[in-house]
Amino acid sequence: MKLITRDTDYALRALCFIAKNKDKVTPAPELVAKLKIPRPFLRKILQSLDKNGLLKSYKGKGGGFVMTLKPNKISILDVMRIFQGAFNLNECLLNKHLCPDIRVCILKKKIDRIEKYVVSELGSFKLAYLIE
Amino acid sequence: MKLITRDTDYALRALCFIAKNKDKVTPAPELVAKLKIPRPFLRKILQSLDKNGLLKSYKGKGGGFVMTLKPNKISILDVMRIFQGAFNLNECLLNKHLCPDIRVCILKKKIDRIEKYVVSELGSFKLAYLIE
DNA sequence: ACAAATGATACAAATGTGGTATCATTAAGC
DNA sequence: GCTTAATGATACCACATTTGTATCATTTGT
Ligand code: FES
Ligand code: FES
């Protein structure tokens, strides 16, 4: 089980790099060179970050990406949610046929508590901590 | 993200049922009927539980499965480990190329703490709690 | 006009999950 | 011993997800 997937990891690294560049526009090719992320894959990731409002993009020559928020306003969880969907360790609710069983519900409460802990820990871990 | 996969869930349900039968031998067909788990899939799961020492199997007519341990000696984590492998939220160690980066290491520490918490919570949650 | 960048989108390989099918082996009970 | 009801072992398969790749259109600074 992975907690953080590859695209989230790439996204974090890209965000860190772009954040260090401050107001300077960072073009994707620079990220590819420095971070060794496969180019088309990175492009897709950057587009996602743009659509989700974490980056602002500039098209055309001299274009690229800049941060829209301060790094201390972005949490690991914010990035995870973009690439891995809403945090939901308890998928049991979906499979209706599993639910008549009480035992799963006791377990469900346990898992809910675990989930709350994880969400709170990752939600308070800001991108800024990864830069300094 | 799921914390518990389908086979682990099926395994937990099967174990609960078998545990309730105490020393009585429970044949797979009975489990199929009562728990509505696809037959060949359940068979595979029961074989895993047998190989990992949580169940003892009796072959031949009148055969089936019985528990080898008291339900308060088996944790959710024990079952998860059989079907989902060792708990390892931090897969980063494997991908060597990610590691020169300090930021991941700080994050890694955070994830390690999260993992310890999850392992401790699930390791102390015993099968017995699901039965009563 | 040209070059350098992003936008959009479709495709593809590798892996993981959930499930199926088959045949051999064992043991109880007549 | 024969039948029957059970497990053991193993190989296969369909689908979804992950991790990418490829292509072409569009925008913009010089
Ligand atoms: S919520 Fe699924 S069993 Fe209770
Ligand atoms: S352990 Fe992978 S970056 Fe530190």
Side-chain angles (χ1 to χ4, degrees):
Chain A
M1 260 196 69
K2 271 179 301 191
L3 191 59
I4 289 182
T5 57
R6 194 82 134 244
D7 36 17
T8 302
D9 188 273
Y10 284 168
L12 288 173
R13 297 218 271 158
L15 285 170
C16 285
F17 194 94
I18 294 169
K20 279 184 194 160
N21 272 347
K22 298 281 180 178
D23 293 335
K24 213 178 89 191
V25 173
T26 308
E30 187 179 344
L31 292 167
V32 170
K34 296 284 175 53
L35 302 179
K36 318 238 162 109
I37 299 173
R39 188 166 54 90
F41 198 23
L42 176 66
R43 293 287 318 278
K44 195 159 64 173
I45 288 167
L46 291 171
Q47 285 183 17
S48 279
L49 290 171
D50 171 62
K51 274 186 191 143
N52 285 276
L54 294 192
L55 290 178
K56 179 159 167 39
S57 73
Y58 294 97
K59 297 172 78 173
K61 193 173 180 178
F65 300 87
V66 293
M67 305 291 291
T68 54
L69 299 168
K70 296 285 177 197
N72 64 355
K73 296 294 180 195
I74 300 175
S75 73
I76 306 299
L77 189 67
D78 294 331
V79 182
M80 288 177 71
R81 273 203 270 248
I82 292 173
F83 297 98
Q84 311 180 208
F87 216 94
N88 184 20
L89 295 178
N90 238 319
E91 309 247 308
C92 171
L93 285 164
L94 309 171
N95 316 354
K96 293 275 169 52
H97 62 288
L98 295 180
C99 289
D101 206 353
I102 326 160
R103 77 149 186 80
V104 187
C105 290
I106 306 176
L107 184 52
K108 175 172 159 44
K109 278 175 195 150
K110 186 57 137 187
I111 295 178
D112 275 343
R113 283 229 309 284
I114 290 175
E115 182 174 319
K116 280 202 182 65
Y117 172 81
V118 177
V119 164
S120 128
E121 288 292 301
L122 292 177
S124 61
F125 196 99
K126 304 297 181 183
L127 195 66
Y129 306 170
L130 299 177
I131 301 174
E132 89 251 18
Chain B
M1 264 195 68
K2 272 180 299 193
L3 192 59
I4 289 181
T5 58
R6 194 80 135 247
D7 33 18
T8 300
D9 188 273
Y10 284 165
L12 287 172
R13 299 217 268 159
L15 285 170
C16 285
F17 194 94
I18 294 168
K20 279 185 195 159
N21 271 349
K22 298 276 181 184
D23 294 333
K24 214 178 85 190
V25 172
T26 309
E30 187 178 343
L31 292 167
V32 170
K34 296 284 174 54
L35 302 179
K36 318 234 162 112
I37 298 173
R39 187 166 55 90
F41 198 24
L42 176 66
R43 293 288 318 280
K44 194 159 65 172
I45 288 166
L46 292 172
Q47 286 185 14
S48 278
L49 290 172
D50 171 61
K51 275 187 191 143
N52 285 276
L54 294 191
L55 290 178
K56 179 161 167 37
S57 72
Y58 294 96
K59 296 173 78 171
K61 191 172 179 177
F65 301 85
V66 294
M67 302 292 290
T68 53
L69 298 168
K70 296 285 178 198
N72 63 355
K73 296 292 179 196
I74 300 174
S75 72
I76 305 299
L77 189 67
D78 294 331
V79 183
M80 287 177 72
R81 274 203 268 246
I82 293 172
F83 297 98
Q84 311 180 206
F87 216 95
N88 182 20
L89 296 177
N90 238 320
E91 309 246 309
C92 172
L93 283 165
L94 308 173
N95 315 354
K96 295 273 169 54
H97 61 290
L98 295 180
C99 291
D101 207 353
I102 325 159
R103 72 148 191 80
V104 186
C105 290
I106 306 176
L107 183 52
K108 176 171 160 44
K109 279 176 194 149
K110 184 60 137 187
I111 294 177
D112 275 342
R113 283 231 308 284
I114 290 175
E115 182 174 317
K116 280 203 180 67
Y117 172 83
V118 177
V119 164
S120 129
E121 289 292 299
L122 292 176
S124 61
F125 195 101
K126 305 296 181 184
L127 196 67
Y129 306 169
L130 300 175
I131 300 172
E132 91 248 19

